[in-house]
Amino acid sequence: FARVLKLSNDPCPGYNIEQLAKQGKKFIELPYCVKGMDVSFSGLLSHIEGTAVKMLAAGDCTKADLCYSLQETVFCNAGGDHRACMAHSRSKQVLVVGGVGCNLRLQEMLATMAQERGASLCATDDRYCIDNGAMIAHTGNLMFVHNIDTTIEKSGITQRFRTDEVHIAWRD
């Protein structure tokens, strides 16, 4: 998306989308798909990438409007997913990490959702939001404290692992 809009990679495309989104005035409805706690944004990105150049050329919107619309649509869906996950896990905290965790609008939306549920948002320092290392380390520590281990032979990667199928042993 950032490439289609010819946004700079400095310091990173996500940050530049966030800054442009702050200037957006017009919300453009975008398609999205939600099934349970599974969210797919491929259709949304294909749509916006396919129509962005045409809309800009026709003067129907600005780059800022497109960034604003993309960000609001994606984060609104992420907030709904977090709400369902919190209900499923009975959690009273939301921890936001990863590169997108730096986005202040996402933090604001998740904080509002958490407060509505009597919960709190824990936003990680930007230094730890570059990848999911903080999330992995936190989970590893919880497993260690609760004497849960996985041998190398039993470890592996499940690309389509559903968050609502995860057994959280330390909450039993």
Side-chain angles (χ1 to χ4, degrees):
F1 176 70
R3 279 190 295 272
V4 171
L5 295 185
K6 297 181 178 153
L7 300 182
S8 172
N9 279 337
D10 184 25
C12 65
Y15 176 80
N16 294 329
I17 289 171
E18 177 185 7
Q19 298 314 307
L20 254 173
K22 291 175 184 177
Q23 301 167 27
K25 304 277 186 255
K26 179 180 178 182
F27 179 77
I28 299 156
E29 205 163 309
L30 300 170
Y32 59 90
C33 178
V34 178
K35 292 180 182 177
M37 286 193 288
D38 291 337
V39 180
S40 173
F41 297 118
S42 60
L44 181 150
L45 288 173
S46 296
H47 174 79
I48 200 166
E49 287 176 352
T51 60
V53 174
K54 295 175 201 164
M55 293 176 78
L56 291 168
D60 294 336
C61 64
T62 65
K63 288 182 180 183
D65 294 333
L66 289 168
C67 290
Y68 167 71
S69 301
L70 178 68
Q71 184 173 270
E72 292 298 304
T73 301
V74 170
F75 293 169
C76 182
N77 281 285
D81 227 21
H82 281 77
R83 184 178 292 112
C85 189
M86 289 179 74
H88 179 73
S89 65
R90 298 180 308 275
S91 179
K92 290 294 181 188
Q93 291 182 318
V94 176
L95 175 63
V96 61
V97 297
V100 75
C102 297
N103 188 295
L104 297 178
R105 178 64 180 139
L106 175 60
Q107 291 179 22
E108 176 187 9
M109 291 175 89
L110 290 177
T112 299
M113 180 276 302
Q115 287 170 350
E116 289 170 354
R117 296 189 54 81
S120 63
L121 172 73
C122 304
T124 317
D125 183 298
D126 286 359
R127 293 173 296 172
Y128 305 110
C129 284
I130 303 307
D131 61 32
N132 288 321
M135 177 184 69
I136 294 166
H138 179 69
T139 303
N141 184 58
L142 285 170
M143 291 175 73
F144 175 77
V145 166
H146 291 88
N147 296 315
I148 301 168
D149 62 2
T150 303
T151 64
I152 295 293
E153 295 78 28
K154 290 187 178 182
S155 67
I157 297 170
T158 306
Q159 282 189 318
R160 303 219 184 273
F161 201 73
R162 293 180 50 93
T163 56
D164 58 348
E165 293 177 354
V166 176
H167 176 68
I168 306 171
W170 51 86
R171 294 220 175 144
D172 289 339

